[in-house]
């Protein structure tokens, strides 16, 4: 069984739907909350998943354990261990490997949205078979202003272009959420009403969120299944995969 380390930096962002998809794909997940327990060594794992949180990627003064998370992510990338890093996780991955995270100059990005695949994604082991437009959930103020050296852009949006990137053939950072449930997003809205009010009218209504999460599951569960296969060694890493566009 493929054993994955899942890092949860904040109680407000549980693994939720993402955990269900990982286990359905055959993964065994070991959940660690770095604010409450030390991070383990990577030796016993085949991949790493890092979730989101309300803190900034460089808020070490208030959250000193963030440095340990960044170091672990950098080590995973350097050792070519598959990584999936979500929202804050993606920002931590970027910061850990030479990128830059700042408060977004276009304001918060909140609510259901679509991001568009870039050219490199069409030959990527995880993204090649995914649709052109990917359903996602945004709820962030900070943004990845500069990708790490050597990173390849996988997906973009009009407001913030660096929505998803790939490093070293097998580490993926995304600026958005895929793991959420309707209740999680509603909880965030109650915790941060000034940020939530920047969403489009009706975007955070329960009925709309229910439909959006069904769309996110349809889009992302197959990608997560491929991530588990990548961690298991059943899929080639990007630089060993096909280098031509898929043919219909």
């Amino acid at each position: 069984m493929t054993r994955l380390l899942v890092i949860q930096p904040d109680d407000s962002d549980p693994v939720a739907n993402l955990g269900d998809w990982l286990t359905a794909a055959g993964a065994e997940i070991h959940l660690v909350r770095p604010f409450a327990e030390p991070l383990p060594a990577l030796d016993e794992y085949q991949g790493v998943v890092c979730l989101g949180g309300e803190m900034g990627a460089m808020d070490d003064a208030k959250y000193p354990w963030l440095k340990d998370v960044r170091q672990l992510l950098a080590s995973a990338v350097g050792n070519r261990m598959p990584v999936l890093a979500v929202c804050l996780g993606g920002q931590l991955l970027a910061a850990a490997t030479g990128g830059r995270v700042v408060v977004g100059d276009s304001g918060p990005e909140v609510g259901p949205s679509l991001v568009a695949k870039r050219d490199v994604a069409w030959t990527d082991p995880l993204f090649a078979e995914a649709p052109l437009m990917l359903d996602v959930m945004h709820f962030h103020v900070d943004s990845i202003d500069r990708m790490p050296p050597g990173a390849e852009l996988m997906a973009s949006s009009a407001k913030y272009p660096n929505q998803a990137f790939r490093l070293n053939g097998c580490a993926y950072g995304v600026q958005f959420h895929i793991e959420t449930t309707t209740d999680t997003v509603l909880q965030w809205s109650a915790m941060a009403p000034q940020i939530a009010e920047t969403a489009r009218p009706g975007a955070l209504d329960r009925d709309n969120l229910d439909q959006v999460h069904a769309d996110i599951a349809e889009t992302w569960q197959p990608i997560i299944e491929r991530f588990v296969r990548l961690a298991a060694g059943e899929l080639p890493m990007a630089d060993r995969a096909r280098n031509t566009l898929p043919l219909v």
Side-chain angles (χ1 to χ4, degrees):
M1 182 172 286
T2 305
R3 195 156 194 251
L4 302 178
L5 173 63
V6 178
I7 303 169
Q8 182 181 331
D10 195 321
D11 279 337
S12 70
D13 189 17
V15 66
N17 290 335
L18 178 55
D20 294 339
W21 303 337
L22 291 169
T23 54
E28 175 189 351
I29 62 176
H30 176 205
L31 183 69
V32 173
R33 298 153 70 230
F35 54 88
E37 56 193 310
L39 292 169
L42 288 175
D43 303 0
E44 297 181 4
Y45 304 97
Q46 286 76 54
V48 178
V49 175
C50 188
L51 301 170
E54 66 174 346
M55 62 286 295
M58 303 300 293
D59 285 350
D60 295 14
K62 188 173 181 180
Y63 309 99
W65 46 265
L66 284 172
K67 180 179 179 181
D68 297 331
V69 176
R70 293 196 305 271
Q71 289 176 339
L72 183 144
L73 292 172
S75 178
V77 172
N79 286 285
R80 304 211 74 193
M81 176 178 287
V83 173
L84 177 64
V86 176
C87 202
L88 171 65
Q91 294 168 355
L92 288 165
L93 177 63
T97 53
R100 185 174 66 183
V101 179
V102 299
V103 176
D105 57 9
S106 295
E109 192 170 31
V110 177
S113 187
L114 294 168
V115 298
K117 284 167 60 174
R118 300 299 295 264
D119 288 350
V120 69
W122 291 103
T123 57
D124 179 76
L126 302 191
F127 287 86
E129 308 303 327
L132 169 63
M133 304 300 292
L134 305 166
D135 291 281
V136 302
M137 180 65 63
H138 281 118
F139 211 104
H140 67 97
V141 174
D142 292 349
S143 68
I144 300 169
D145 176 62
R146 184 182 66 231
M147 294 195 305
E152 298 169 283
L153 186 61
M154 303 291 293
S156 292
S157 73
K159 192 166 188 175
Y160 291 108
N162 297 331
Q163 290 290 338
F165 64 93
R166 183 182 71 201
L167 275 170
N168 211 10
C170 62
Y172 298 83
V174 303
Q175 178 62 80
F176 43 79
H177 294 278
I178 58 173
E179 78 287 6
T180 53
T181 65
T182 293
D183 286 341
T184 299
V185 177
L186 291 176
Q187 178 187 1
W188 293 348
S189 300
M191 292 169 57
Q194 291 182 325
I195 296 174
E197 68 183 10
T198 65
R200 297 187 306 274
L204 302 182
D205 291 349
R206 179 175 287 276
D207 289 346
N208 187 58
L209 290 174
D210 286 344
Q211 180 57 57
V212 165
H213 280 101
D215 295 338
I216 290 173
E218 183 178 358
T219 299
W220 285 94
Q221 186 167 4
I223 296 174
I224 298 308
E225 290 172 352
R226 291 192 285 274
F227 176 76
V228 173
R229 292 180 61 202
L230 183 71
E234 297 172 5
L235 282 183
M237 296 182 185
D239 57 348
R240 299 170 189 164
R242 61 191 180 199
N243 55 11
T244 58
L245 291 174
L247 299 178
V248 177

